[in-house]
Structures are given as C-alpha cells and as structure tokens.
Amino acid sequence: MELLFIVVLSLLLVPLALLTSGALRIVLGLAFVLFFPGYTLIAALFPGKDALDSIERLALSFGLNIAVVPLIGLILNYTPWGIRPHPILISVLLFIVIMAAIA
C-alpha cells in the first residue's frame, strides 16, 4: 500500500515540479530525491513485511538512496540529455516506478 502511495506522489510531483514553485514543491521534491528511490529499492530487495523492521527499512532506504541517486546522475552524465532538471526528474521517476513494480 505504501508503494502505491509513493508512486502516486511521485507521479503528482512531475507536473508540480514542472509548472510551479513553492514550499510544496520543495517538500515533495526532497522526499522524491532523498527517500523514495531508496525505499522502493529496499521494497524490491526485501519484499516481505517481516524481512525488516520499520526502523531498519527506513535507515536502509536513506543509505541506499545515497548510492542510487548519484549513480542515476552519473549515468545521465554520459547520455545526450546530460544532468539537467528534467532528465533527472524523469529518470528518478522511472527508477521509482520500476522498483515499485518489481516489489
């Protein structure tokens, strides 16, 4: 259920980030970049609810997120799109959706 919530928030963030500016964009953007990719990766790696406690899942989410988002940026650096806001937004969104689908 929380994965569906994360995917819906991520999908809502895309038009919000492209069309507006303000506090809501910043708060959702920070969660989008600092938490959602790691959480969906942890959910894909440990799909069972009893595999990890909630505190372990939260800590590993932040830890793996520190590794995942820079790797996405590194891969984008070698593409024709480069490291710009729109390619980063789309690639992180794709990563979140793919990992949530795997989980």
Side-chain angles (χ1 to χ4, degrees):
M1 190 63 168
E2 68 272 356
L3 288 176
L4 181 63
F5 181 69
I6 287 174
V7 169
V8 168
L9 273 180
S10 298
L11 290 172
L12 288 176
L13 177 72
V14 172
L16 184 70
L18 294 176
L19 302 174
T20 64
S21 64
L24 182 62
R25 177 182 175 185
I26 292 170
V27 170
L28 280 177
L30 285 175
F32 180 75
V33 173
L34 295 177
F35 181 68
F36 291 170
Y39 190 84
T40 55
L41 180 60
I42 286 295
L45 292 175
F46 300 101
K49 290 290 181 187
D50 56 346
L52 292 173
D53 293 336
S54 59
I55 298 296
E56 292 171 336
R57 192 172 290 269
L58 183 69
L60 283 173
S61 297
F62 281 114
L64 276 179
N65 195 51
I66 292 171
V68 167
V69 173
L71 284 175
I72 292 172
L74 181 67
I75 293 168
L76 279 175
N77 189 36
Y78 293 106
T79 64
W81 306 296
I83 301 175
R84 282 181 254 153
H86 292 106
I88 290 172
L89 182 71
I90 299 300
S91 61
V92 171
L93 177 67
L94 284 175
F95 181 82
I96 291 170
V97 170
I98 290 170
M99 288 299 120
I102 290 172

